[in-house]
Amino acid sequence: MTKGSREGMEPAEREGPAGASAGTSTEPGGTSSGGAEGAGRGVAGLSLPARIVVAVAVAGVAVAAAVHLGMVFLHVAPKNAVSKEHSETIDAYVYPEFEQNWKLFAPNPLQVNVAMQARARIAKPDGSTETTGWFDLSAMDGEGIRHNIAPSHTQQNELRRAWELFRNYHDDEGRPVGLRGDLSQTYIKRIAVDRLGGELDGGTVEHLQVRSADTPVAPPAWSEEKKDTKTEYRLYPWWPVGSEDVRGGGQQ
């Protein structure tokens, strides 16, 4: 074979396998690179009408999910102005298929502002006695918390938790129930004496009386709900105050 003939054969010998041309490539499995690019475009590769259908379907599912979650939330949440206003609509949607037997909060949040107040009977040096006005101990804690970015645990919880314990272990007549009733009464008394001080208005605190002031939370202005927001007071008996009830007074 002559040199000229060998040169003429070189281009053919440099072609890809099975005579594939340089402009195309084959990937494993027989899939061309052009087909893979088209499949990877997803929704963008769909026609305009198909994309509109997909967008409408996604929006419909999102709206349906939001409505369902909203209805169930209002059903299990504590009664409020919104759930009372649309109770028939909520019940018609939830029952019977989506009925829930649990509640969002246990127990339900209070819808009453509860304030603990105290007053003292003071013995004067001349032998006379005097009864003070009512001191709002809850308002004192509120003043310490308001505008305070880091209120103490005592300001936030001491009086509130003590009052919850006290009310749970006293009957309707204000009598302590069991050992916890006696302990909670002593605890509340000492908290109140500590806030007021053993010496008050030039005399010594000899007796203490507490009461609760319960004020229902008013409904929002846009609600049609009517609620009496008059404050109700619950008065408890006078308690004697001894030296052991005053901070440092019981030390020998």
Side-chain angles (χ1 to χ4, degrees):
M1 182 178 294
T2 64
K3 180 179 180 180
S5 62
R6 286 198 303 270
E7 292 177 351
M9 290 293 293
E10 287 177 359
E13 293 173 355
R14 289 195 296 268
E15 289 182 357
S21 63
T24 61
S25 63
T26 306
E27 298 180 357
T31 303
S32 65
S33 60
E37 292 175 358
R41 288 181 293 177
V43 176
L46 300 175
S47 64
L48 179 59
R51 279 183 283 176
I52 293 175
V53 170
V54 171
V56 171
V58 171
V61 171
V63 171
V67 170
H68 176 75
L69 292 176
M71 289 292 191
V72 173
F73 172 81
L74 291 173
H75 175 68
V76 300
K79 294 295 183 182
N80 54 74
V82 176
S83 61
K84 291 178 181 178
E85 182 76 15
H86 304 285
S87 59
E88 293 183 2
T89 302
I90 295 170
D91 290 345
Y93 177 84
V94 170
Y95 294 109
E97 289 84 359
F98 305 119
E99 181 179 2
Q100 306 291 316
N101 61 356
W102 60 280
K103 294 298 180 182
L104 187 61
F105 299 102
N108 287 337
L110 290 175
Q111 296 188 10
V112 176
N113 288 322
V114 180
M116 187 258 185
Q117 301 174 351
R119 65 178 177 177
R121 185 175 294 155
I122 301 168
K124 296 285 189 174
D126 60 3
S128 63
T129 59
E130 177 184 325
T131 301
T132 68
W134 289 100
F135 295 89
D136 194 331
L137 305 185
S138 298
M140 293 179 183
D141 283 350
E143 288 297 323
I145 294 172
R146 191 173 295 110
H147 307 306
N148 186 348
I149 61 173
S152 70
H153 177 78
T154 300
Q155 289 173 322
Q156 296 181 80
N157 298 309
E158 181 186 52
L159 182 63
R160 178 179 62 83
R161 296 297 301 274
W163 190 247
E164 289 178 358
L165 179 66
F166 176 83
R167 296 188 72 164
N168 288 339
Y169 287 93
H170 279 72
D171 61 20
D172 294 338
E173 302 299 324
R175 294 185 295 260
V177 178
L179 178 61
R180 284 180 177 266
D182 294 329
L183 291 174
S184 64
Q185 180 170 305
T186 301
Y187 189 32
I188 278 290
K189 178 172 62 174
R190 292 183 177 180
I191 290 175
V193 171
D194 187 56
R195 303 288 178 89
L196 301 181
E199 302 289 331
L200 190 65
D201 293 343
T204 303
V205 176
E206 290 192 336
H207 292 83
L208 184 82
Q209 188 176 36
V210 299
R211 72 178 183 182
S212 65
D214 302 342
T215 307
V217 177
W222 49 265
S223 172
E224 296 182 357
E225 180 183 0
K226 303 299 182 183
K227 181 184 292 187
D228 185 4
T229 57
K230 181 181 178 180
T231 301
E232 294 185 359
Y233 296 95
R234 186 171 184 179
L235 192 65
Y236 293 87
W238 285 95
W239 301 326
V241 176
S243 59
E244 69 278 3
D245 298 318
V246 182
R247 185 188 294 270
Q251 299 178 354
Q252 298 296 328

